[in-house]
Amino acid sequence: MSKKLTVKQEKFVLKYFECGNATEAYKYAYSTSRMKDKTIIESASKLLSNHNITARLKELQAKAEEESKWSVEKMIKAHTRIFEIGIGDVSSSHIVTEGAGEGISNTLEVEMRDTNLASAKGALVEIGKILGYYEKDNKQKAGEVSIADFAKWLHDENSKKGKDD
């Protein structure tokens, strides 16, 4: 972890990390109303060469990279959700309003289960790729996952959800 920065230095680092412009970050973090543009640019550049500043920027970059990574589990869960929606396992509520005449209308909440088997199939293929059941040339490996194995896995995942809720 980098050494402690001053409040203004931390403010500069966070703004610089957000916008990528040292001059803008310097103006945001420091009082610059009486400074010439050249002085602001030089001061911002000097801050960027400060080892504590660069160390803090590297920390923020590493944290952002780590947070943006999708774990295998997260990818499988996302594709499982697509699969469930595709086969109609997930319902959604829709509000439907119809006119009854004379300025009167009826509003109903309707539960719908839409299916999109192409999405479901695509999700299964992606799960297979994630789990390594396809070679890089997209040929299927000899070891196949049966539908029963996948259904068992899906059941187990849904059971875990029930325990977590």
Side-chain angles (χ1 to χ4, degrees), residues 17-18 56-70:
F17 188 74
E18 174 190 315
R56 179 69 175 124
L57 285 167
K58 286 178 184 176
E59 281 178 12
L60 291 172
Q61 182 64 36
K63 183 179 178 187
E65 286 175 10
E66 188 60 36
E67 289 175 355
S68 70
K69 289 181 184 174
W70 272 54

Side-chain angles (χ1 to χ4, degrees), residues 36-90:
K36 294 181 180 179
D37 286 342
K38 181 180 179 202
T39 307
I40 295 170
I41 293 167
E42 289 170 354
S43 298
S45 178
K46 186 177 178 183
L47 272 180
L48 284 179
S49 64
N50 178 310
H51 295 294
N52 294 335
I53 299 284
T54 56
R56 179 69 175 124
L57 285 167
K58 286 178 184 176
E59 281 178 12
L60 291 172
Q61 182 64 36
K63 183 179 178 187
E65 286 175 10
E66 188 60 36
E67 289 175 355
S68 70
K69 289 181 184 174
W70 272 54
S71 67
V72 170
E73 180 182 354
K74 190 174 179 182
M75 286 190 282
I76 289 174
K77 284 182 179 181
H79 283 90
T80 299
R81 179 82 174 143
I82 294 167
F83 173 78
E84 290 170 340
I85 292 168
I87 62 171
D89 274 1
V90 177

Side-chain angles (χ1 to χ4, degrees), residues 52 64 116 138:
N52 294 335
N116 184 333
N138 210 22

Side-chain angles (χ1 to χ4, degrees), residues 77-132:
K77 284 182 179 181
H79 283 90
T80 299
R81 179 82 174 143
I82 294 167
F83 173 78
E84 290 170 340
I85 292 168
I87 62 171
D89 274 1
V90 177
S91 63
S92 57
S93 295
H94 298 277
I95 303 296
V96 178
T97 305
E98 61 183 7
E102 298 182 20
I104 300 172
S105 62
N106 294 325
T107 302
L108 302 170
E109 184 173 0
V110 179
E111 188 173 307
M112 299 176 74
R113 291 180 184 268
D114 298 323
T115 58
N116 184 333
L117 297 180
S119 292
K121 179 185 175 204
L124 283 178
V125 169
E126 291 302 316
I127 290 170
K129 288 178 184 177
I130 293 166
L131 294 174

